[in-house]
Amino acid sequence: KAGVTQTPRYLIKTRGQQVTLSCSPISGHRSVSWYQQTPGQGLQFLFEYFSETQRNKGNFPGRFSGRQFSNSRSEMNVSTLELGDSALYLCASSFERGDTEAFFGQGTRLTVV
Amino acid sequence: AQSVTQLGSHVSVSEGALVLLRCNYSSSVPPYLFWYVQYPNQGLQLLLKYTTGATLVKGINGFEAEFKKSETSFHLTKPSAHMSDAAEYFCAVSDYFNKFYFGSGTKLNVKP
């Protein structure tokens, strides 16, 4: 059974640009969540999608957005990149209920220069 | 609201020694609790989870954790550390909608 796949693994962008990250969840999982991991702030929740609907959103500016497709694949987009957006972005997939574990991808390392 | 506090950002043990990583949580509802491990430049791998039932939870690689409601704790232990256990460990609590609240992490160093 394939795990959570995130692409690309590494990305370098310039300030002001936008970026799109992709996440393919485990087959059968309908919930996809995104997290930002930085040395200073740790792991922070960005948003969660279930059946193409955003159910939960963290405290991030509107420059961070996401979507989920009918096959449960998800993308997140960051517009007008800032240096502080440099981070490891992790995607997690799970079944609907919160009592099951989230399976994490290997992440996308975004560097903004 | 849920939150997690991990005591000790760095823990160092000798190979073969007991590993104890501390986690305290705050939750307004019965918690779902997890421990994850992260190796450099990798995602998070689940070690173990507590949802309901037995309060002593066994996980992979010889790790276990005990849910103590009265102490709001979920400490992670392993009787004998191995060099391969060196990594960063995260305690987390989740809500019904798969929103995970992570602790700040504890880096475990294992000395030969």
Side-chain angles (χ1 to χ4, degrees):
Chain A
K1 191 174 184 180
V4 179
T5 303
Q6 290 188 247
T7 56
R9 286 291 313 277
Y10 301 92
L11 208 49
I12 300 175
K13 290 287 188 179
T14 304
R15 274 182 300 174
Q17 287 187 311
Q18 75 165 12
V19 66
T20 299
L21 312 181
S22 179
C23 173
S24 293
I26 291 172
S27 177
H29 286 189
R30 295 192 296 167
S31 171
V32 174
S33 303
W34 288 89
Y35 293 82
Q36 181 196 64
Q37 186 177 25
T38 59
Q41 300 298 318
L43 281 152
Q44 293 187 287
F45 173 78
L46 280 156
F47 28 67
E48 186 254 356
Y49 286 87
F50 179 80
S51 292
E52 302 178 67
T53 300
Q54 186 182 92
R55 292 196 301 189
N56 246 325
K57 190 177 189 306
N59 296 322
F60 278 82
R63 299 186 296 105
F64 291 81
S65 63
R67 58 178 175 168
Q68 186 181 34
F69 302 95
S70 58
N71 61 359
S72 293
R73 190 177 71 85
S74 177
E75 289 180 347
M76 69 163 280
N77 183 277
V78 188
S79 62
T80 319
L81 284 166
E82 300 176 0
L83 295 178
D85 297 334
S86 296
L88 181 66
Y89 290 89
L90 293 167
C91 165
S93 81
S94 54
F95 292 112
E96 176 179 4
R97 293 193 55 194
D99 62 347
T100 58
E101 64 265 32
F103 294 85
F104 284 81
Q106 291 191 304
T108 294
R109 171 74 64 185
L110 172 64
T111 302
V112 182
V113 298
Chain B
Q2 282 98 327
S3 67
V4 173
T5 301
Q6 288 184 242
L7 292 176
S9 59
H10 291 80
V11 170
S12 187
V13 302
S14 298
E15 193 173 20
L18 171 72
V19 175
L20 171 60
L21 304 183
R22 300 178 187 273
C23 171
N24 289 87
Y25 70 90
S26 171
S27 177
S28 56
V29 296
Y32 302 138
L33 296 162
F34 305 81
W35 274 99
Y36 283 87
V37 61
Q38 185 178 38
Y39 297 96
N41 290 317
Q42 298 293 317
L44 301 174
Q45 180 184 7
L46 179 72
L47 281 176
L48 47 81
K49 66 176 180 179
Y50 170 80
T51 54
T52 59
T55 57
L56 182 61
V57 180
K58 294 187 184 299
I60 63 171
N61 301 336
F63 285 95
E64 62 182 38
E66 186 171 9
F67 169 60
K68 292 186 176 180
K69 185 177 179 181
S70 61
E71 298 178 8
T72 60
S73 69
F74 191 57
H75 301 332
L76 180 71
T77 61
K78 182 174 180 177
S80 177
H82 191 273
M83 295 297 291
S84 61
D85 295 328
E88 190 161 18
Y89 293 79
F90 292 92
C91 181
V93 61
S94 77
D95 65 14
Y96 183 83
F97 295 106
N98 298 326
K99 180 177 179 180
F100 282 71
Y101 300 81
F102 288 92
S104 54
T106 298
K107 288 186 178 177
L108 176 65
N109 177 46
V110 182
K111 298 175 290 185

